[in-house]
Amino acid sequence: MSRRFGGEGLRAARHVLRAYPALLRVGFADMFAYRAELVVWLLTMNMPLVMMALWTAVAATGPVGRFGQREFVAYYLGMLLVRILTGSWLVWELTMEIRQGTLAPRLLRPIHPLWAHSAMQLAAVPMRAVLVSPLLFILYWAAGERLPLHEPERMAIALTAIAGAWMLLFLIMAIIGTLAAFVESALSIFDVWLGAQAVLSGYLVPLELLPPWVAQAARYLPFRYILGFPVETLIGLESTSSALHELGVQALFIAGSLVAALALWRAALRRFAAFGG
Amino acid sequence: MIRARNLCKTYRVHRRPPGLLAALRSVVRRRTEEVQALVDVSFDIAPGERVGFLGPNGAGKTTALKILSGLLYPTSGTVTVGGFVPQERRNEFLHMITLVMGQKQQLLWDLPPAETFAMNRALFDLPRREADATQQELVDLLEIGALIGKPTRQLSLGERMKCELVAALLHRPRVLFLDEPTIGLDVSMQARVRDFIRRYNEATGASVLLTSHYMEDVAALCPRVIVIDKGHLIYDGDLRTLARRIRPEKRITMHFSSVPAPGELDRLGNCVARSELQATLAVPAAQVTEAVRAALGRLPISDISVEDPPLEEIMQEFLGGQPANGGARSA
């Protein structure tokens, strides 16, 4: 029996690998259709810049903890970069598809809808990377010596942490979006999540500047691994050994979220009413 | 090919009166009630059969199709399609079926239909040459070669529906679930889509299950109908048998070269439609020959035709006379 399931699993994996380039291509083409929307979305990502202005003013009279003016600039530019590269709109897509029944056509295709969604979202990353590339020059000015440009190991850890952040946020959004099959207010739940994430991920304030008990609590929650951890790794606030350890914690959160997302998805399909039509 | 036994589907729906007060009250206390969309529905469909689901709005037709295609779980009962349980959504099953929903689209809205076709080709893991040949064949049959390069959002409803059919049939499914496939189309387009579906069925031997508000679709395509009303299966059998039983009469439509004398028409049968130079009579089937002969002898006829009564009328009479929870009848 397990061999049969193993064989089916392998076949499914091969099928996903074969189909994924086509999904990415479609996602890329679709993203170009929404290029203006993408630019507008980028312009709304101004909170790190506001916080950067605020904290550099505070740091004008002296460093705050480990953060001088240049560290704040590097931190918030890194935050902006990670936020833009890892951003996802899955939760809005899923809630709409479940509530309006437009998930139905996706369910009739022989690939898990989350794979298809992941391709659509990933396809937007290259264009976002191009659009935010000017930020890299400022980041280099602010944290050039701290950036892992000449350290392949640290660079690999930082890029893995950013990829992990993308996966974790995608899966969290999948979980909350799937809740739309059970409750009408899945988007309100996501608003609550966003509120907590703003504080506990280090998005507004670096976690080490928060009261110690908050910073400590954040280490046991997934928020930090979506934003704070990849930024700290990128601008050299984490030592290599500590970053490797944190990468393991991030992987655990990803694995847990994946299991939860798939279990919830299966339960949601039983509740899906395929409304409309 | 399809086997449904004792299918039941119950939805739980929220109920609240309109108005702000009712909205506030529903925050504290939500009233829900159960709606039975399908009640103990059983049927079998053989390979290659074309079957029409008929019934008024909310009868349970679409719910039945969604259960058969695996989108919905039945509350109780069992269903298999080609030996598969649809709700398990195995890849082999998804390769075998397609569901076309006139009110839902799978085409990518901002991209040309050709992109959806290419994506489906990859998702269904179709060999490129085979898929290209199928796509070309379907595009030629539906005459949409000039459309598939335009963004979907710029196509008319009819053009989109034809592209939907190509996207849905690219993997050559053996079971077609068609939910209102001609909705919103003009008469000539409806006829072309019907013709296309029949040709696909005859060429591939695929089973076709169709729901449509246009009785013409069902009359033209489906020798067999399953009638559902308030979730109950109330008829399963031959469409002509149902028509003969409900309306055992024929319609004689006559066109006149001059206005016939008053009273002449009434002597031939029951006049159901009349204008100056045209009239339609309802005549018992056994008396048609005699009535036609008499009409040709007495009236200034320029053209005459004999047809069955319209399916709309038959269904209206059939459903109007049903008890809400009427038991199943068969031919």
Side-chain angles (χ1 to χ4, degrees):
Chain A
M1 182 69 85
S2 63
R3 180 180 286 181
R4 187 169 74 86
F5 281 131
E8 279 183 10
L10 268 179
R11 265 205 306 279
R14 276 201 295 267
H15 174 54
V16 170
L17 279 177
R18 278 198 300 271
Y20 213 73
L23 288 169
L24 280 173
R25 200 176 52 75
V26 165
F28 205 63
D30 205 42
M31 191 266 311
F32 271 106
Y34 286 102
R35 55 198 179 280
E37 200 174 68
L38 177 66
V39 173
V40 171
W41 177 74
L42 287 177
L43 292 175
T44 64
M45 299 283 112
N46 54 12
M47 184 54 86
L49 299 179
V50 173
M51 298 311 292
M52 183 172 75
L54 192 72
W55 280 104
T56 48
V58 171
T61 52
V64 184
R66 286 197 289 170
F67 287 80
Q69 280 186 313
R70 281 182 70 179
E71 282 74 22
F72 275 123
V73 170
Y75 182 85
Y76 285 111
L77 285 181
M79 185 59 73
L80 189 59
L81 204 68
V82 172
R83 175 90 171 81
I84 288 172
L85 289 179
T86 61
S88 170
W89 60 94
L90 180 67
V91 71
W92 292 278
E93 290 268 323
L94 267 187
T95 48
M96 187 190 70
E97 288 182 359
I98 289 172
R99 294 191 58 163
Q100 298 183 1
T102 49
L103 183 64
R106 287 190 189 276
L107 292 174
L108 294 170
R109 290 176 178 144
I111 194 167
H112 198 295
L114 289 180
W115 278 119
H117 273 298
S118 73
M120 296 298 271
Q121 317 260 326
L122 265 183
V125 173
M127 177 57 91
R128 290 181 189 179
V130 169
L131 289 174
V132 301
S133 54
L135 281 180
L136 289 173
F137 292 105
I138 313 174
L139 186 63
Y140 184 73
W141 165 80
E145 72 283 3
R146 286 170 173 268
L147 295 176
L149 296 175
H150 307 294
E151 296 171 69
E153 190 183 339
R154 271 189 57 213
M155 179 62 96
I157 292 173
L159 292 177
T160 309
I162 292 173
W166 182 90
M167 274 190 253
L168 186 53
L169 181 61
F170 178 85
L171 290 169
I172 297 287
M173 285 197 174
I175 291 170
I176 299 176
T178 306
L179 286 176
F182 304 91
V183 293
E184 288 178 16
S185 50
L187 278 180
S188 306
I189 294 172
F190 187 65
D191 286 340
V192 174
W193 169 276
L194 277 183
Q197 180 180 293
V199 177
L200 295 168
S201 69
Y203 185 56
L204 295 178
V205 181
L207 284 175
E208 62 188 71
L209 302 185
L210 291 174
W213 68 270
V214 179
Q216 192 60 29
R219 291 190 172 270
Y220 297 98
L221 297 168
F223 305 102
R224 172 170 180 262
Y225 298 91
I226 291 171
L227 287 170
F229 165 58
V231 174
E232 290 160 19
T233 310
L234 183 69
I235 64 169
L237 291 177
E238 286 274 1
S239 68
T240 304
S241 60
S242 166
L244 276 173
H245 168 78
E246 296 289 346
L247 216 49
V249 178
Q250 188 190 46
L252 283 177
F253 274 118
I254 291 171
S257 303
L258 180 63
V259 170
L262 293 178
L264 195 64
W265 183 268
R266 271 196 293 275
L269 285 187
R270 299 192 76 91
R271 290 283 299 248
F272 179 55
F275 288 123
Chain B
M1 177 58 81
I2 298 173
R3 182 182 164 90
R5 287 290 174 274
N6 311 107
L7 281 185
C8 293
K9 179 66 184 176
T10 305
Y11 292 110
R12 183 179 289 272
V13 294
H14 297 296
R15 286 261 186 240
R16 77 165 175 83
L20 183 63
L21 196 64
L24 289 173
R25 209 175 281 145
S26 75
V27 173
V28 184
R29 191 175 162 205
R30 306 206 78 174
R31 278 180 50 209
T32 59
E33 65 182 49
E34 290 193 338
V35 175
Q36 290 191 311
L38 286 178
V39 184
D40 213 20
V41 170
S42 301
F43 55 83
D44 290 283
I45 290 168
E49 231 187 328
R50 297 193 304 263
V51 180
F53 269 123
L54 291 176
N57 287 338
K61 310 181 295 290
T62 300
T63 296
L65 282 194
K66 285 175 177 171
I67 289 176
L68 293 175
S69 58
L71 289 178
L72 292 182
Y73 281 71
T75 307
S76 64
T78 58
V79 58
T80 56
V81 176
F84 294 101
V85 176
Q87 287 67 32
E88 290 177 358
R89 299 183 58 248
R90 297 173 72 98
N91 275 0
E92 295 91 332
F93 167 74
L94 294 172
H95 277 82
M96 183 200 290
I97 66 141
T98 198
L99 170 64
V100 176
M101 292 177 280
Q103 303 189 49
K104 290 266 182 300
Q105 64 163 32
Q106 66 159 310
L107 296 173
L108 299 159
W109 185 247
D110 288 300
L111 301 181
E115 291 282 7
T116 305
F117 304 158
M119 184 180 73
N120 279 7
R121 188 181 65 215
L123 294 183
F124 282 93
D125 211 7
L126 306 174
R128 190 179 185 110
R129 190 175 293 177
E130 194 182 300
D132 284 348
T134 306
Q135 179 179 319
Q136 196 55 51
E137 183 189 335
L138 296 171
V139 164
D140 290 344
L141 269 172
L142 287 163
E143 298 171 24
I144 53 169
L147 305 177
I148 62 173
K150 291 184 187 172
T152 300
R153 63 169 186 273
Q154 291 177 0
L155 301 179
S156 72
L157 179 61
E159 291 170 341
R160 282 208 303 273
M161 183 46 73
K162 289 199 282 187
C163 293
E164 281 286 334
L165 280 170
V166 177
L169 299 179
L170 204 58
H171 60 288
R172 293 201 166 270
R174 288 191 285 132
V175 181
L176 273 57
F177 299 116
L178 306 174
D179 188 19
E180 308 280 1
T182 57
I183 196 162
L185 304 189
D186 62 42
V187 177
S188 71
M189 194 72 78
Q190 283 175 29
R192 283 166 72 174
V193 169
R194 280 199 294 267
D195 187 46
F196 172 78
I197 293 167
R198 189 192 296 105
R199 277 201 269 173
Y200 183 86
N201 160 262
E202 287 166 357
T204 64
S207 305
V208 177
L209 261 82
L210 169 85
T211 76
S212 181
H213 279 105
Y214 301 116
M215 293 297 173
E216 280 294 311
D217 287 350
V218 179
L221 276 174
C222 305
R224 175 183 164 196
V225 293
I226 292 175
V227 185
I228 300 178
D229 188 22
K230 297 187 177 73
H232 296 264
L233 190 156
I234 58 172
Y235 179 83
D236 180 357
D238 183 57
L239 178 60
R240 286 172 181 276
T241 308
L242 175 68
R244 274 199 298 271
R245 203 172 71 199
I246 303 300
R247 280 280 173 92
E249 62 185 31
K250 293 279 184 184
R251 294 288 164 90
I252 304 176
T253 301
M254 296 167 285
H255 294 265
F256 308 117
S257 52
S258 59
V259 181
E264 284 291 348
L265 276 173
D266 298 333
R267 274 190 266 166
L268 295 174
N270 177 27
C271 186
V272 291
R274 176 80 204 262
S275 65
E276 196 166 291
L277 291 175
Q278 186 182 327
T280 303
L281 298 178
V283 177
Q287 296 168 20
V288 168
T289 315
E290 191 187 323
V292 169
R293 192 181 300 129
L296 289 169
R298 291 181 207 162
L299 302 170
I301 287 181
S302 61
D303 190 22
I304 187 165
S305 62
V306 180
E307 290 163 337
D308 286 321
L311 191 53
E312 275 89 353
E313 273 184 32
I314 293 168
M315 291 313 299
Q316 206 171 358
E317 188 169 328
F318 184 51
L319 293 168
Q322 287 304 307
N325 56 354
R329 305 169 189 181
S330 61

